[in-house]
Amino acid sequence: MSTHRQRPTLKAARLTPRDILHTGAAGMRSRPLRVVLSALGIAIGIATMISVVGISASSREKVLQELDRLGTNMLVVTPGDDLLTGKKIPMAKDAVGKVARIDGVEHVGGTGLLEHSVRRSEKISEDITGGITVQAATEDLLTTLRGRLRTGTWLNKATGAYPAVVLGDVAADRLGISRPGQRVYIDGQYFTVLGILDDLPLAPEIARSALVGWDIGSSRLGFDGHPTTLYERSADAEVGKVHSLIARTVDPQTPRNVDVTDPSSGLQAKAATEGAFSNLLLGLGGVALLVGGVGVANTMIISVLERRHEIGLRRSIGATRGQIRGQFVTESLLLSGLGGVAGIVLGSAATGVHATSSGLPWVVPLWAIGGGFGATLVIGTVAGLYPAVRASRLSPTLALHAA
């Protein structure tokens, strides 16, 4: 009885993920300068995209923080224009009290425009106004606006009856006033500066005003008692209802002669549209990323040509085509990943520098970091596929002979 020997079956060696990573990194370790230059293109593209998104997000966060502080529950009431004469129709003297009685209203402040200019001294011509207006103000105005004083104190019942004034930040800068106790000249008399307001984004007209008390405005500056602007702050849930009632409350007979506006709508629109111009820069970053991907692909092709001997040797001792493909795709992924990590760091740092210098919160969205790194992996895979397939198709005999 004859026996037949079975030929041993050759099996391809299995490579662990660690082995694949080691072989993929071997080419990078041998050519560090080429690796840096190839990864640089990826890094520039990712850094551009991260910084654009980060700066836009930081600016938007600043606006949202400002909205949170100032609130979106303030309405501004001003007199409308007469249809026949085109002149402003004065509001009633008790308009502040009427609005305060509306259910849901928390605070009401009013101002009355005065036909005077404010100057540093009587030696300055009255024609030089500096764009500063003089207004009488109620005591609750600062609370209603949620304003803050840069320095000094606000008007109260005592100081509102005497020649004292509070300046908006813009008015103070234009007058050269930096501290309380200094004086300004209004309608032939000097007024002592009590305080200087901080920035008021929801009431820029107040920033350019010199504010005197309601009583002193009536007794010495000819104020007729008719408010020209009302500022109302209500509960968040009551804003819509209060908005519909204010005009009819201020002027029950002709509510169409009263204008009611929401000053926070501008900031809300700014927050909604922040980053609208970032799409162009994102596109440029995408182009840079694609250029970087082309650079990685070119590097991998050159690497395949230079390493034909290595490829032939590995194939001759049993490496499969799949293992060769895996080696070069891994190398391409490592190369792109290195550029992606560098780009994320550079983009985040650029965002931090801009935010710090501009007084913005430092915000880099996690989705931007994840998306940017994911894009590098996609670019790395695509860039490495062709060189990897080309390497796996090399004949071991021809590759060794060519070497």
mmCIF file of all heavy atoms in Angstrom, residues 5 17 32 54 101 115 124 126 147 179 237 259-260 268 284 311 351 361 391:
data_model
loop_
_atom_site.group_PDB
_atom_site.id
_atom_site.type_symbol
_atom_site.label_atom_id
_atom_site.label_comp_id
_atom_site.label_asym_id
_atom_site.label_seq_id
_atom_site.Cartn_x
_atom_site.Cartn_y
_atom_site.Cartn_z
ATOM 1 N N ARG A 5 2.621 11.504 0.291
ATOM 2 C CA ARG A 5 2.883 12.631 1.205
ATOM 3 C C ARG A 5 2.128 13.884 0.732
ATOM 4 O O ARG A 5 2.150 14.206 -0.439
ATOM 5 C CB ARG A 5 4.376 12.957 1.244
ATOM 6 C CG ARG A 5 5.184 11.916 1.993
ATOM 7 C CD ARG A 5 6.608 12.411 2.090
ATOM 8 N NE ARG A 5 7.415 11.482 2.856
ATOM 9 C CZ ARG A 5 8.704 11.672 3.114
ATOM 10 N NH1 ARG A 5 9.301 12.760 2.628
ATOM 11 N NH2 ARG A 5 9.383 10.783 3.822
ATOM 12 N N PRO A 17 -1.799 44.648 14.282
ATOM 13 C CA PRO A 17 -1.857 46.109 14.092
ATOM 14 C C PRO A 17 -0.557 46.809 14.470
ATOM 15 O O PRO A 17 -0.169 47.795 13.830
ATOM 16 C CB PRO A 17 -3.010 46.517 15.018
ATOM 17 C CG PRO A 17 -3.888 45.311 15.065
ATOM 18 C CD PRO A 17 -2.947 44.140 15.027
ATOM 19 N N PRO A 32 12.976 61.970 7.352
ATOM 20 C CA PRO A 32 12.274 62.945 8.201
ATOM 21 C C PRO A 32 12.011 64.289 7.523
ATOM 22 O O PRO A 32 10.958 64.888 7.721
ATOM 23 C CB PRO A 32 13.216 63.109 9.400
ATOM 24 C CG PRO A 32 14.564 62.668 8.907
ATOM 25 C CD PRO A 32 14.291 61.594 7.906
ATOM 26 N N GLY A 54 -12.679 78.823 14.539
ATOM 27 C CA GLY A 54 -12.466 79.237 15.916
ATOM 28 C C GLY A 54 -12.665 80.730 16.123
ATOM 29 O O GLY A 54 -13.307 81.150 17.092
ATOM 30 N N ARG A 101 -47.182 100.759 34.654
ATOM 31 C CA ARG A 101 -48.372 100.065 35.175
ATOM 32 C C ARG A 101 -48.816 98.885 34.311
ATOM 33 O O ARG A 101 -49.742 98.166 34.665
ATOM 34 C CB ARG A 101 -49.523 101.063 35.320
ATOM 35 C CG ARG A 101 -49.323 102.058 36.464
ATOM 36 C CD ARG A 101 -50.588 102.855 36.738
ATOM 37 N NE ARG A 101 -50.884 103.801 35.666
ATOM 38 C CZ ARG A 101 -50.425 105.041 35.623
ATOM 39 N NH1 ARG A 101 -49.631 105.489 36.590
ATOM 40 N NH2 ARG A 101 -50.751 105.849 34.635
ATOM 41 N N GLU A 115 -32.450 121.115 24.147
ATOM 42 C CA GLU A 115 -31.859 121.877 23.037
ATOM 43 C C GLU A 115 -30.642 122.655 23.506
ATOM 44 O O GLU A 115 -30.579 123.877 23.401
ATOM 45 C CB GLU A 115 -32.902 122.828 22.435
ATOM 46 C CG GLU A 115 -34.109 122.137 21.843
ATOM 47 C CD GLU A 115 -33.724 121.239 20.664
ATOM 48 O OE1 GLU A 115 -32.755 121.575 19.955
ATOM 49 O OE2 GLU A 115 -34.373 120.203 20.476
ATOM 50 N N ILE A 124 -15.252 127.714 24.654
ATOM 51 C CA ILE A 124 -15.417 126.921 23.441
ATOM 52 C C ILE A 124 -16.719 127.321 22.760
ATOM 53 O O ILE A 124 -17.753 127.507 23.410
ATOM 54 C CB ILE A 124 -15.436 125.409 23.778
ATOM 55 C CG1 ILE A 124 -14.087 125.013 24.415
ATOM 56 C CG2 ILE A 124 -15.694 124.571 22.531
ATOM 57 C CD1 ILE A 124 -14.035 123.590 24.882
ATOM 58 N N GLU A 126 -20.244 127.480 20.872
ATOM 59 C CA GLU A 126 -21.435 126.638 20.962
ATOM 60 C C GLU A 126 -21.626 125.779 19.718
ATOM 61 O O GLU A 126 -22.324 124.766 19.768
ATOM 62 C CB GLU A 126 -22.678 127.520 21.163
ATOM 63 C CG GLU A 126 -22.722 128.238 22.493
ATOM 64 C CD GLU A 126 -24.014 129.011 22.674
ATOM 65 O OE1 GLU A 126 -24.894 128.893 21.784
ATOM 66 O OE2 GLU A 126 -24.166 129.727 23.677
ATOM 67 N N GLY A 147 -27.097 99.047 32.678
ATOM 68 C CA GLY A 147 -25.821 99.693 32.427
ATOM 69 C C GLY A 147 -24.916 99.641 33.646
ATOM 70 O O GLY A 147 -25.352 99.359 34.774
ATOM 71 N N ARG A 179 -12.543 111.554 34.999
ATOM 72 C CA ARG A 179 -12.862 111.206 36.385
ATOM 73 C C ARG A 179 -13.984 112.106 36.904
ATOM 74 O O ARG A 179 -14.204 113.210 36.396
ATOM 75 C CB ARG A 179 -11.630 111.347 37.264
ATOM 76 C CG ARG A 179 -11.143 112.785 37.404
ATOM 77 C CD ARG A 179 -9.878 112.897 38.240
ATOM 78 N NE ARG A 179 -9.520 114.295 38.488
ATOM 79 C CZ ARG A 179 -8.850 115.044 37.647
ATOM 80 N NH1 ARG A 179 -8.469 114.550 36.484
ATOM 81 N NH2 ARG A 179 -8.569 116.302 37.975
ATOM 82 N N ALA A 237 -41.030 86.230 29.432
ATOM 83 C CA ALA A 237 -42.250 85.613 28.905
ATOM 84 C C ALA A 237 -43.319 86.637 28.532
ATOM 85 O O ALA A 237 -44.295 86.301 27.856
ATOM 86 C CB ALA A 237 -42.821 84.628 29.928
ATOM 87 N N ASP A 259 -43.751 104.593 18.162
ATOM 88 C CA ASP A 259 -42.880 103.555 17.596
ATOM 89 C C ASP A 259 -42.274 102.730 18.727
ATOM 90 O O ASP A 259 -41.740 103.281 19.698
ATOM 91 C CB ASP A 259 -41.758 104.183 16.767
ATOM 92 C CG ASP A 259 -42.283 104.901 15.535
ATOM 93 O OD1 ASP A 259 -43.346 104.492 15.024
ATOM 94 O OD2 ASP A 259 -41.631 105.874 15.098
ATOM 95 N N VAL A 260 -42.352 101.411 18.580
ATOM 96 C CA VAL A 260 -41.786 100.487 19.574
ATOM 97 C C VAL A 260 -40.788 99.584 18.859
ATOM 98 O O VAL A 260 -41.136 98.921 17.869
ATOM 99 C CB VAL A 260 -42.877 99.636 20.246
ATOM 100 C CG1 VAL A 260 -42.262 98.740 21.322
ATOM 101 C CG2 VAL A 260 -43.964 100.524 20.851
ATOM 102 N N GLN A 268 -28.833 90.142 18.025
ATOM 103 C CA GLN A 268 -29.266 88.795 17.688
ATOM 104 C C GLN A 268 -28.962 88.475 16.225
ATOM 105 O O GLN A 268 -28.534 87.355 15.892
ATOM 106 C CB GLN A 268 -30.767 88.646 17.956
ATOM 107 C CG GLN A 268 -31.146 88.759 19.424
ATOM 108 C CD GLN A 268 -32.638 88.615 19.645
ATOM 109 O OE1 GLN A 268 -33.258 87.646 19.233
ATOM 110 N NE2 GLN A 268 -33.234 89.596 20.303
ATOM 111 N N LEU A 284 -10.778 78.366 0.970
ATOM 112 C CA LEU A 284 -9.338 78.465 0.749
ATOM 113 C C LEU A 284 -8.586 77.422 1.576
ATOM 114 O O LEU A 284 -7.613 76.820 1.107
ATOM 115 C CB LEU A 284 -8.848 79.875 1.107
ATOM 116 C CG LEU A 284 -9.362 81.006 0.206
ATOM 117 C CD1 LEU A 284 -8.878 82.356 0.732
ATOM 118 C CD2 LEU A 284 -8.898 80.805 -1.226
ATOM 119 N N ILE A 311 10.265 46.335 -1.270
ATOM 120 C CA ILE A 311 8.991 45.700 -1.621
ATOM 121 C C ILE A 311 9.232 44.312 -2.209
ATOM 122 O O ILE A 311 8.566 43.331 -1.845
ATOM 123 C CB ILE A 311 8.207 46.578 -2.609
ATOM 124 C CG1 ILE A 311 7.849 47.920 -1.962
ATOM 125 C CG2 ILE A 311 6.945 45.868 -3.099
ATOM 126 C CD1 ILE A 311 7.320 48.947 -2.931
ATOM 127 N N THR A 351 -6.175 80.992 16.920
ATOM 128 C CA THR A 351 -7.446 81.462 17.489
ATOM 129 C C THR A 351 -7.229 82.072 18.865
ATOM 130 O O THR A 351 -7.790 83.122 19.193
ATOM 131 C CB THR A 351 -8.433 80.298 17.590
ATOM 132 O OG1 THR A 351 -8.650 79.741 16.290
ATOM 133 C CG2 THR A 351 -9.767 80.769 18.158
ATOM 134 N N PRO A 361 -13.644 85.619 24.089
ATOM 135 C CA PRO A 361 -13.440 84.300 24.692
ATOM 136 C C PRO A 361 -12.799 83.352 23.685
ATOM 137 O O PRO A 361 -13.082 83.444 22.487
ATOM 138 C CB PRO A 361 -14.875 83.858 25.052
ATOM 139 C CG PRO A 361 -15.764 84.631 24.132
ATOM 140 C CD PRO A 361 -15.075 85.952 23.903
ATOM 141 N N ALA A 391 2.378 49.608 -5.474
ATOM 142 C CA ALA A 391 3.428 48.862 -4.782
ATOM 143 C C ALA A 391 3.088 47.377 -4.701
ATOM 144 O O ALA A 391 3.956 46.515 -4.876
ATOM 145 C CB ALA A 391 3.631 49.429 -3.379
#
